[in-house]
Amino acid sequence: MQEIIDFHAHIYPDKIARKATENVGHFYGIPMDNVGNVNTLLAVGRRAGVTGYVVHSVATTPEQVPSIHSFIASQCLEHEELTGFGAFHPDLTPAQAQQALDQIKELGLKGVKLHPDFQKFNIDDRKMYPFYEMIAGKLPVLFHTGDDRYDFSSPTRLARVLSDFPNLTAVAAHFGGYRRWDEAQAVLPKGKVYIDTCSSIAFIGVKRAQELIRHYGADHVLFGTDFPMWDAKDELAYLEEMDLSQEERDLIFSQNAKRLTSR
Ligand SMILES: [Zn+2]
């Protein structure tokens, strides 16, 4: 059986899931068919054959960070298919930032998710540098990247951070940068940066996506759905259309994810 890990899934507590999902749909102008709660994630994934999930929420204020950590960790305890990522916010004080990282460690969270467009900071803002310093060489950071409507999360800014922090394990979501796929390909360090496959193939097509997988290397590509944005079944169907070896599929669908979350 093919193990399939969805590396990019958002979940929200039941009482805010509907509203949070609507807000995200509105931000991207994309109708959302699913509600971003854990039961829907598991049901939709199971139908598509997904066997594991890396789940995260984005902190839009510094105050949300500790409660997001508790929520994600509690969901991981309840559902063995889940691996949790923590949150971070650029406006945390140095003491709060340290607490956030301590909490991530205590709760067994395996990385950090940042969404510079929702959190309104430039990836290469100097105020983020102490955080990169603390996390480099320890846990992976999943960056929302791209979107040509904003410049917060441009692949160029991420490339700058990666050259300043060679030890930082970064996943540039959405094939390196949503709607900035060419820029990402030109500036991101291939063989070092990881990319995920979500929210892109519907726009760039299977052929271009496969080219990008070859460019970044199958050992640096992670399958993801951006749940609740897209249905796992549809996202998987795109990958099934590609000409990938079993070895490449194993890397993209599970081995890379396991390697990144094994600490
Ligand atoms: Zn995301």
Side-chain angles (χ1 to χ4, degrees):
M1 188 193 85
Q2 179 82 51
E3 243 187 305
I4 300 173
I5 298 173
D6 175 356
F7 199 85
H8 195 141
H10 298 263
I11 52 168
Y12 309 97
D14 283 318
K15 67 172 196 276
I16 64 155
R18 194 165 293 276
K19 185 84 205 138
T21 305
E22 272 171 26
N23 289 344
V24 173
H26 193 76
F27 191 83
Y28 289 108
I30 289 170
M32 308 286 269
D33 296 335
N34 293 312
V35 177
N37 60 24
V38 74
N39 290 327
T40 310
L41 171 71
L42 295 173
V44 170
R46 211 170 285 137
R47 276 205 299 272
V50 177
T51 52
Y53 310 80
V54 175
V55 292
H56 23 90
S57 304
V58 174
T60 50
T61 66
E63 292 74 31
Q64 289 171 353
V65 170
S67 57
I68 286 177
H69 288 170
S70 314
F71 165 67
I72 294 284
S74 71
Q75 297 305 304
C76 292
L77 276 180
E78 241 174 85
H79 307 278
E80 60 178 5
E81 306 94 313
L82 306 185
T83 300
F85 266 30
F88 194 81
H89 194 282
D91 296 337
L92 291 171
T93 65
Q96 289 171 326
Q98 187 58 57
Q99 276 167 16
L101 288 168
D102 291 345
Q103 198 188 16
I104 284 172
K105 213 173 157 198
E106 274 159 36
L107 294 172
L109 302 175
K110 301 296 187 188
V112 173
K113 168 70 187 281
L114 296 174
H115 197 308
D117 296 351
F118 288 170
Q119 298 178 302
K120 298 194 169 44
F121 70 95
N122 292 327
I123 289 182
D124 58 346
D125 189 322
R126 286 278 153 178
K127 72 182 172 185
M128 287 300 287
Y129 272 43
F131 166 73
Y132 299 141
E133 185 79 57
M134 285 191 276
I135 202 141
K138 298 198 179 87
L139 293 175
V141 182
L142 172 58
F143 290 89
H144 164 87
T145 38
D147 207 332
D148 51 359
R149 299 172 297 167
Y150 311 93
D151 202 44
F152 296 117
S153 63
S154 75
T156 301
R157 294 188 187 280
L158 178 59
R160 209 169 285 148
V161 168
L162 288 175
S163 95
D164 289 341
F165 295 92
N167 271 340
L168 182 66
T169 303
V171 181
H174 320 309
F175 276 93
Y178 173 66
R179 291 163 66 151
R180 290 187 179 231
W181 295 287
D182 296 345
E183 176 190 340
Q185 187 177 11
V187 301
L188 291 175
K190 67 171 177 175
K192 173 170 168 44
V193 73
Y194 288 81
I195 60 155
D196 74 30
T197 63
C198 60
S199 295
S200 298
I201 309 179
F203 308 103
I204 62 179
V206 167
K207 191 167 163 272
R208 175 80 176 120
Q210 185 168 333
E211 262 168 38
L212 289 174
I213 289 175
R214 291 271 142 75
H215 169 79
Y216 290 101
D219 56 346
H220 282 74
V221 177
L222 299 144
F223 171 68
T225 65
D226 215 357
F227 175 87
M229 190 82 80
W230 306 100
D231 202 296
K233 220 182 183 118
D234 301 331
E235 294 294 288
L236 277 168
Y238 292 128
L239 282 135
E240 296 302 340
E241 277 181 54
M242 292 180 192
D243 177 24
L244 298 170
S245 69
Q246 187 58 43
E247 194 189 338
E248 290 173 315
R249 293 163 55 88
D250 289 343
L251 287 166
I252 296 168
F253 285 133
S254 65
Q255 285 172 11
N256 296 331
K258 284 186 179 171
R259 193 171 67 246
L260 285 189
T261 56
S262 65
R263 278 188 267 207

